[in-house]
Amino acid sequence: MTETFQGTDPSQLDDHAFAVWAAEQAGAVLLEVRAAADERGLEGKALKDAGDAAAQEVLARVLGEHRPDDAVLSEEAADDKVRLEASRVWIIDPLDGTREFSEPPRDDWAVHVALWQDGDLVAGAVAQPALGETFNTGTPRQVPARTADRPRIAVSRTRPPAFVEALAAEIDAELVPMGSAGVKVMSVVRDLADAYVHAGGQYQWDNAAPVAVARAAGLHCSRVDGSPLVYNEDDTSLPDLIVCRPELAEEIIAFVRAHGTD
């Protein structure tokens, strides 16, 4: 993945390309951690922890070196409140989908790198290293016309929420189980699903980069009540979202407003 940037000074990359480069640097290290897991005796929680630590170290280092004036909000680091006064904040999830990462050869885990600037997301990349792809805002996917007869809703493979099952019944949709939040959003970008609807609790780093990429691809992104997704807030919780094809948004939001998410 990273061959594209060989010989390039990352400090000179624009923010879109830098997000890709940074996500792929972390992704390459995660693949190395996974490949060496048997030799190091890593499995389960130990493999998850090793992946989190390795990817955080890479992203912290490259951001500190090549974007030293920017603030950072990361799942794997203490929340430095200086970000609340900063005009540029990188919102990162070094390893989204630790469960799937710890279950080789699953590919439904990701690295999230997003840039918030002056009130909104302006760049982002979601790397799926085991898939060999990085979805990004610099060269966004153009989502093709829907190919499925019934709407497909991406859901957790371990704990699909009951309200989404009720939504699926209401709009005659099929539920498609898969791993990380980023992978679920990218499944809509990739036309593997038509919507991802979540209300079980997330944080800004879980969806900032995926939402930036999904917006660039022309998808609808909002809270489940239709209100905007807001980032770099003091409270890092961002518990619910909808990412879907624009033609499904009104119907999904109307269902949630009528029935709630309990």
Side-chain angles (χ1 to χ4, degrees), residues 18 24 26 28 38 64 73 79 92 112 129 131 143 152 162 180 199 230 255 262:
F18 180 80
E24 291 186 349
D38 288 343
L73 172 63
D79 182 7
I92 62 173
H112 299 176
L131 189 66
V143 180
R152 301 157 296 176
S180 86
V230 181
F255 176 88
D262 296 331

Side-chain angles (χ1 to χ4, degrees), residues 154-179:
V155 294
S156 168
R157 67 187 183 98
T158 56
R159 50 188 185 283
F163 89 94
V164 176
E165 294 180 341
L167 168 64
E170 176 79 11
I171 67 174
D172 189 29
E174 172 189 2
L175 298 181
V176 184
M178 61 187 72

Side-chain angles (χ1 to χ4, degrees), residues 91-182:
I91 303 176
I92 62 173
D93 189 344
L95 174 53
D96 182 56
T98 52
R99 177 195 293 267
E100 289 73 27
F101 174 77
S102 72
E103 298 176 1
R106 295 193 70 97
D107 63 19
D108 49 346
W109 51 277
V111 178
H112 299 176
V113 178
L115 175 63
W116 175 97
Q117 182 171 345
D118 296 329
D120 205 358
L121 301 173
V122 296
V126 177
Q128 286 189 238
L131 189 66
E133 286 206 60
T134 302
F135 307 93
N136 65 90
T137 53
T139 54
R141 286 276 188 109
Q142 296 303 308
V143 180
R146 205 165 91 196
T147 57
D149 293 333
R150 300 168 61 201
R152 301 157 296 176
I153 302 177
V155 294
S156 168
R157 67 187 183 98
T158 56
R159 50 188 185 283
F163 89 94
V164 176
E165 294 180 341
L167 168 64
E170 176 79 11
I171 67 174
D172 189 29
E174 172 189 2
L175 298 181
V176 184
M178 61 187 72
S180 86

Side-chain angles (χ1 to χ4, degrees), residues 3-79:
E3 290 82 359
T4 305
F5 299 106
Q6 285 187 350
T8 302
D9 177 1
S11 299
Q12 301 305 310
L13 295 172
D14 69 27
D15 291 325
H16 302 284
F18 180 80
V20 173
W21 178 81
E24 291 186 349
Q25 294 295 305
V29 169
L30 285 166
L31 290 175
E32 291 173 1
V33 170
R34 218 188 198 197
D38 288 343
E39 181 181 334
R40 296 173 59 191
L42 297 175
E43 62 180 15
K45 184 177 186 302
L47 181 52
K48 295 175 185 178
D49 291 346
D52 280 335
Q56 169 63 23
E57 189 280 327
V58 170
L59 289 177
R61 174 168 46 80
V62 301
L63 287 166
E65 182 177 353
H66 301 294
R67 294 294 192 270
D69 297 328
D70 297 347
V72 180
L73 172 63
S74 171
E75 178 178 17
E76 300 301 328
D79 182 7

